[in-house]
């Protein structure tokens, strides 16, 4: 293994595919448990807040609260699934199980490993988000073909949060370190990004902060699509997610090279 690292942009080869496939084969043994676990929290939000609290609330942005909440639930679940995979699962493979070290003794390079991990986390988030969309469809909360465009939004959101998670993974000395990320970033983002209530209800300073959060951009794309409308400023939201994901993956790659190849 080379004992140096560079600041160059990641350039994965086709050898990312065996990394992705290896993770998929391991996950396949626990697939149903994993899917049910990813569905539990969103369903609690939808049933508890959507139907319970929603029955006490007036329309939000002109729609019943449960419909307003649906898009936020899809995006939040996508964020959580990608984040958990890029943190706990990736850290186990990198640090505890030494799976990455074994892979790096093959022709695969670290860029291939990280890209495979990135796409695998996005794949899991797509499976989780798609399952929630099916539940929303069964509940009669989706009535427009435009909702199919939420699937690319889920993939892009999964890529962004997987890349952000890999940054934290590269810095973490142990599993406990991840709690700082959840407490300081993930939880505030969940509350400020329009998942549970419109960001217009926030003070102006917090609205400005919320406008730059990746989860807020994802919700701004998904919510109109689930309501049968094309999102306003869709190009701006897409560009923000693409820029965040690209920059985050480059930083994650550089930090992981520094950790493993120095």
């Amino acid at each position: 293994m080379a004992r140096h690292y560079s600041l160059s942009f990641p350039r994965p080869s086709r050898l990312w595919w065996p990394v992705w496939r290896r993770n998929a084969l391991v996950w396949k043994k626990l697939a149903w448990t994993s899917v049910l676990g990813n569905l539990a929290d969103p369903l609690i939000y939808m049933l508890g807040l959507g139907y319970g609290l929603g029955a006490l609330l007036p329309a939000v942005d002109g729609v019943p609260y449960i419909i307003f909440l649906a898009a936020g639930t899809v995006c939040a679940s996508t964020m959580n699934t990608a984040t958990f995979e890029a943190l706990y699962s990736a850290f186990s493979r990198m640090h505890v199980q030494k799976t990455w070290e074994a892979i790096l003794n093959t022709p695969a390079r670290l860029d291939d490993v990280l890209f495979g991990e990135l796409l695998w986390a996005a794949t899991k988030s797509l499976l989780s988000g798609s399952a929630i969309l099916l539940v929303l469809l069964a509940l009669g909360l989706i009535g427009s073909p435009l909702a199919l465009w939420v699937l690319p939004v889920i993939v892009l959101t999964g890529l962004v949060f997987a890349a952000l998670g890999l940054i934290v993974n590269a810095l973490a000395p142990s599993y406990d370190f991840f709690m700082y990320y959840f407490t300081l970033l993930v939880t505030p983002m969940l509350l400020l990004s329009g998942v549970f209530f419109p960001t217009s209800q926030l003070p102006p300073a917090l609205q400005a902060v919320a406008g730059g959060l990746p989860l807020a951009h994802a919700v701004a794309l998904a919510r109109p699509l689930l309501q049968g409308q094309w999102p306003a400023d869709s190009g701006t939201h897409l560009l923000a997610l693409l820029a965040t994901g690209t920059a985050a993956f480059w930083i994650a790659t550089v930090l992981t090279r520094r950790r493993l190849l120095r």
Side-chain angles (χ1 to χ4, degrees):
M1 186 188 305
R3 296 296 174 181
H4 68 278
Y5 67 96
S6 71
L7 301 178
S8 62
F9 194 79
R11 292 182 294 176
S13 70
R14 63 182 180 179
L15 292 177
W16 67 265
W17 166 248
V19 178
W20 183 96
R21 187 170 181 271
R22 181 261 172 205
N23 292 344
L25 290 173
V26 173
W27 173 80
K28 186 178 178 181
K29 299 177 182 179
L30 301 171
W32 283 110
T33 304
S34 176
V35 171
L36 289 175
N38 289 333
L39 277 174
D41 280 348
L43 282 177
I44 291 171
Y45 284 134
M46 287 300 301
L47 297 177
L49 295 179
Y51 284 114
L53 182 61
L56 305 176
L57 296 175
V60 180
D61 287 349
V63 298
Y65 181 66
I66 190 169
I67 294 178
F68 176 88
L69 181 63
T73 301
V74 170
C75 294
S77 177
T78 300
M79 174 185 71
N80 288 332
T81 301
T83 299
F84 270 89
E85 186 64 27
L87 295 183
Y88 292 96
S89 298
F91 186 80
S92 295
R93 291 187 283 268
M94 177 188 72
H95 184 70
V96 180
Q97 301 168 355
K98 304 296 184 182
T99 303
W100 290 13
E101 184 176 322
I103 294 173
L104 291 175
N105 284 297
T106 72
R109 298 177 296 113
L110 186 56
D111 288 13
D112 303 319
V113 175
L114 284 171
F115 194 62
E117 292 284 351
L118 179 81
L119 293 185
W120 171 242
T123 301
K124 283 198 69 176
S125 65
L126 175 61
L127 293 172
S128 175
S130 299
I132 297 170
L133 286 178
L134 289 175
V135 171
L136 297 179
L137 182 63
L139 292 174
L141 301 177
I142 296 177
S144 169
L146 279 177
L148 291 173
W149 285 101
V150 176
L151 294 174
V153 175
I154 290 173
V155 173
L156 182 55
T157 304
L159 289 170
V160 170
F161 284 101
L164 292 170
L166 288 173
I167 292 177
V168 181
N169 178 65
L171 298 171
S174 68
Y175 292 110
D176 294 337
F177 184 81
F178 299 144
M179 292 309 300
Y180 295 108
Y181 181 61
F182 280 99
T183 301
L184 298 176
L185 290 175
V186 173
T187 300
M189 197 179 310
L190 186 66
L191 296 175
L192 296 177
S193 297
V195 172
F196 302 111
F197 54 84
T199 56
S200 59
Q201 300 298 312
L202 295 169
L206 288 180
Q207 288 186 42
V209 172
L213 299 175
L215 183 60
H217 291 292
V219 172
L221 289 169
R223 180 161 285 138
L225 291 171
L226 286 177
Q227 296 175 11
Q229 305 167 14
W230 193 257
D233 300 322
S234 57
T236 300
H237 298 306
L238 287 171
L239 184 60
L241 289 172
L242 286 169
T244 302
T246 301
F249 185 56
W250 171 65
I251 295 171
T253 302
V254 170
L255 292 176
T256 309
R257 287 172 185 160
R258 185 181 68 176
R259 176 169 183 159
L260 298 183
L261 301 183
R262 63 184 174 182

